[in-house]
């Protein structure tokens, strides 16, 4: 098969990466995407880094055996921080794109202000984030806030509910009465909770996520490697989950279409 017609793998611990998949499909509508969520092991955030790395590598290997992908997008900040170097060593012949909290665009747009970074414990404790936060710390006040419960709410399709809002109010309590420039959604699950976040945060707080930047970078690398399909080709999106429960894939399709359980 022409290498250009092979699919692009999009991987996350569960449903979060669908927020990135949407940006990818908007920008690369002629491409074939195969989305894999490791629902059987989500959430990744509380797991040790070595285990997240192992799960990520094993899932990508299994996906490559069945799909022979031309490029991989690790649509998970947590898996990126644990495994991106090893993945790039494993697949040196293809683009492997990761995602990191969009702190740089937040610092560009809100110099001198406070920027909250919401992410998983793993993302926030890894060296990759520490280096980014230190670089951006000279341009804005960076506050890193683990928000693990949010992943579980989104995994079960509860993207907007009074219980979710209550958790956010507790997590964000110290920041609700102070001026904050932006909130970086440093976990790909979090854009699905944007409605609840907007209601809880002071009006005017900008929410910033890395999905468009990741899609842009993917498009650039595919073009450089001459791996883009012709623009007239029919695009395709296929969902897979490591959970045998068909509800897992149904939930992915619902989030991709923009619906949630509570709507
Ligand atoms: N969606 C993931 C991220 O971007 C991970 C969530 C989790 O499994 O804890 O970090």
């Amino acid at each position: 098969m022409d290498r250009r017609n092979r699919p692009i793998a999009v991987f996350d611990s569960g449903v979060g990466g669908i927020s990135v998949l949407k940006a990818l499909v908007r920008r690369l509508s002629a491409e074939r995407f195969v989305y894999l969520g490791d629902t059987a092991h989500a959430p990744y955030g509380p797991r040790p880094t070595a285990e997240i790395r192992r799960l990520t590598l094993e899932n990508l290997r299994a996906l490559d055996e069945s799909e022979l992908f031309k490029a991989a997008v690790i649509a998970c900040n947590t898996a990126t921080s644990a495994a991106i170097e090893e993945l790039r060593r494993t697949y040196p012949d293809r683009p492997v794109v990761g995602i990191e909290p969009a702190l740089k665009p937040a610092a560009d747009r809100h110099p001198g202000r406070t920027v909250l970074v919401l992410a998983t414990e793993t993302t926030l404790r890894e060296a990759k984030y520490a280096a980014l936060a230190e670089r951006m710390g000279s341009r804005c006040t960076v506050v890193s806030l683990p928000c693990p419960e949010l992943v579980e709410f989104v995994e079960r399709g509860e993207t907007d509910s009074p219980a979710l809002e209550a958790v956010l109010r507790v997590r964000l309590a110290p920041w609700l009465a102070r001026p904050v420039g932006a909130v970086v959604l440093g976990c790909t699950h979090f854009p699905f909770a944007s409605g609840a976040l907007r209601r809880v945060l002071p009006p005017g707080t900008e929410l910033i996520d890395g999905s468009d930047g990741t899609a842009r970078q993917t498009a650039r690398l595919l073009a450089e490697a001459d791996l883009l399909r012709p623009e007239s080709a029919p695009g395709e999106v296929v969902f897979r989950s490591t959970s045998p429960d068909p509800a897992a894939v149904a939930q992915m399709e619902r989030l991709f279409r923009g619906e949630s359980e509570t709507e």
Side-chain angles (χ1 to χ4, degrees), residues 12-13 16-17 42-46 75-78 120 123 151 186-189:
D12 179 52
S13 60
Y44 275 12
C76 176
N77 294 263
T78 309
T120 67
T123 300
V151 174
C187 167
T188 55
H189 281 70

Side-chain angles (χ1 to χ4, degrees), residues 106-107 109-116 139-142 178-182 204:
R109 294 215 279 269
H110 301 273
R113 311 235 10 228
T114 296
V115 173
L116 300 187
R139 301 170 48 197
C140 59
T141 304
V142 179
R178 300 185 211 181
V180 167

Side-chain angles (χ1 to χ4, degrees), residues 1 5-9 32-36 60-70 94 236 238-240:
M1 190 201 265
N5 282 328
R6 293 184 194 162
I8 300 169
R32 299 174 58 220
F33 292 95
V34 51
Y35 181 90
L36 175 65
L60 266 289
R61 190 186 320 117
L63 196 59
D64 194 38
E65 275 164 17
S66 66
E67 306 289 342
L68 197 61
F69 54 76
K70 65 177 177 182
R94 311 168 232 192
E236 175 188 290
V238 172
F239 293 96
R240 303 218 191 293

Side-chain angles (χ1 to χ4, degrees), residues 158-191:
E158 198 177 330
T159 51
D160 203 352
S161 69
L164 171 59
E165 236 181 271
V167 165
L168 290 174
R169 278 188 205 285
V170 171
R171 279 279 168 194
L172 297 168
W175 307 100
L176 296 182
R178 300 185 211 181
V180 167
V183 172
V184 173
L185 307 181
C187 167
T188 55
H189 281 70
F190 297 174

